[in-house]
Amino acid sequence: MSFSHQQKKEIIDQHYKSSCCRRSLLYGILFAKGCVADGTVIITLENNEYAEYVTRLVKEFFGCDARIFRSEKGGRCVMLSFSSSGAEGYIGSLSNSGSELVIQKCSNCLSSFLRGVFLASGRVADPKKQYSLEFTLRDRCEVFSDFLRELSLTPRISHRSTGNMVYFRNSEEIENFYGYAGLNKAVFNLIEIKINTLARRETQRFMNCVSNNHNKMLDVAERQIGIIRKLDSLNLLSSLPDELENTARMRMEYADLPLSALAQKMTPAISKSGLSHRLKHIEEIAKKLLDNEG
């Protein structure tokens, strides 16, 4: 089951107590995918499950039976047709500027209308992969975009050969649309995914930092041990002060130990920073000794 289908299942499985909300849901579907041809209203939907759900709404509010069929052109979508002057009148009004898309008789009518638009024309990507919410609306993109802007959303429009589209690519905008549509489960799911994604990124960033620091320490240790061994091969370790000579021999003997452990083996034990300071001093002296030897 796709992520979009999961969200749409939530819409059709919900019980709508108020008839005005069920009507608003139907009008959202008509707005998104309804058209009139030869006096017949036709709605195109993704599958039979959605079509059967819409036929029940058509029967309730327009008092007629809708016929479900597939286009002669083929494809996965199914279509339903019925005759209704009320549905025709609503679809015809959509071409008029300033037409009322949804009649809000209660506080939930707006949410129901947006759910209807999403059910019929929406497609949302799995937020674990990307943030994307799209509505394929043909010539009604501008109307819907203006409608969303009145809700303080900022959709974009894409004109494609396969159909015009209103879309969001921002997680916060998608959250806000879900909020207006009353899809609370989808909102919480998106927020949870964002939190988990952020946590994984922070963990990965921390692990990269630890790994980089560890590699840098290994590079420094390898360089220091290489210098000490070169001094030893040239019998120059005895040229170092006694304390540094002892430190150099301990570093060479315990080459695999980290500085913190090696510092504790010194007699007397010293701090890690104290040992690091000695090794840097050895490097400085070694450079002069090796330059003279060269």
Side-chain angles (χ1 to χ4, degrees), residues 207-223:
M207 294 303 296
N208 289 342
C209 182
V210 170
S211 178
N212 290 337
N213 289 338
H214 180 67
N215 290 337
K216 288 178 182 178
M217 288 189 292
L218 289 177
D219 291 342
V220 170
E222 186 177 351
R223 184 186 71 243

Side-chain angles (χ1 to χ4, degrees), residues 22-292:
R22 294 195 298 276
R23 181 187 294 273
S24 295
L25 179 68
L26 176 57
Y27 274 38
I29 295 167
L30 285 171
F31 169 80
K33 290 296 182 181
C35 65
V36 179
D38 298 326
T40 301
V41 177
I42 298 175
I43 301 175
T44 304
L45 296 164
E46 290 181 35
N47 56 47
N48 277 319
E49 184 179 17
Y50 302 162
E52 289 172 0
Y53 178 78
V54 175
T55 58
R56 293 195 291 271
L57 294 176
V58 169
K59 181 68 173 178
E60 178 180 0
F61 293 104
F62 297 131
C64 57
D65 295 318
R67 181 176 69 91
I68 299 175
F69 63 99
R70 290 189 178 274
S71 171
E72 296 178 356
K73 297 179 181 179
R76 294 180 299 175
C77 293
V78 297
M79 307 174 79
L80 57 89
S81 64
F82 60 96
S83 296
S84 166
S85 58
E88 283 189 53
Y90 174 73
I91 294 172
S93 71
L94 296 177
S95 59
N96 301 326
S97 59
S99 59
E100 192 170 15
L101 299 186
V102 55
I103 300 174
Q104 299 188 51
K105 292 189 175 181
C106 78
S107 58
N108 295 320
C109 284
L110 172 61
S111 296
S112 297
F113 175 79
L114 292 175
R115 289 180 182 208
V117 176
F118 177 72
L119 177 65
S121 66
R123 181 175 59 190
V124 62
D126 186 340
K128 292 179 181 178
K129 300 176 181 177
Q130 69 176 121
Y131 298 125
S132 174
L133 173 61
E134 303 172 349
F135 301 89
T136 306
L137 294 168
R138 297 174 299 184
D139 58 344
R140 294 170 191 161
C141 285
E142 294 288 350
V143 175
F144 190 56
S145 182
D146 291 342
F147 183 76
L148 293 177
R149 288 192 178 94
E150 291 178 2
L151 301 176
S152 299
L153 298 175
T154 55
R156 295 183 178 182
I157 297 177
S158 174
H159 300 283
R160 300 181 177 179
S161 58
T162 54
N164 298 336
M165 182 179 70
V166 175
Y167 68 93
F168 297 102
R169 294 288 187 268
N170 180 286
S171 62
E172 292 184 3
E173 289 284 293
I174 296 174
E175 282 177 33
N176 290 335
F177 176 84
Y178 283 159
Y180 280 118
L183 298 172
N184 298 328
K185 185 177 179 181
V187 172
F188 293 135
N189 183 50
L190 179 56
I191 292 174
E192 181 181 12
I193 289 172
K194 286 174 65 177
I195 291 173
N196 291 337
T197 300
L198 180 61
R200 285 196 299 271
R201 288 176 180 172
E202 290 298 323
T203 300
Q204 188 61 51
R205 188 178 293 113
F206 173 75
M207 294 303 296
N208 289 342
C209 182
V210 170
S211 178
N212 290 337
N213 289 338
H214 180 67
N215 290 337
K216 288 178 182 178
M217 288 189 292
L218 289 177
D219 291 342
V220 170
E222 186 177 351
R223 184 186 71 243
Q224 291 173 342
I225 292 170
I227 290 173
I228 292 170
R229 284 174 175 165
K230 191 166 186 178
L231 290 176
D232 184 47
S233 68
L234 297 173
N235 297 316
L236 293 176
L237 284 181
S238 57
S239 301
L240 299 172
D242 291 345
E243 184 180 74
L244 296 184
E245 179 185 357
N246 179 58
T247 300
R249 293 188 184 281
M250 289 287 286
R251 173 74 281 188
M252 189 165 53
E253 180 179 357
Y254 298 100
D256 295 332
L257 283 184
L259 288 188
S260 56
L262 181 60
Q264 294 303 306
K265 281 188 170 290
M266 304 299 294
T267 307
I270 60 175
S271 66
K272 178 182 175 181
S273 60
L275 178 57
S276 179
H277 178 73
R278 286 188 188 181
L279 291 170
K280 289 178 181 178
H281 197 185
I282 291 172
E283 282 191 85
E284 293 170 358
I285 297 175
K287 185 175 184 304
K288 296 177 183 178
L289 292 174
L290 293 174
D291 286 344
N292 292 336

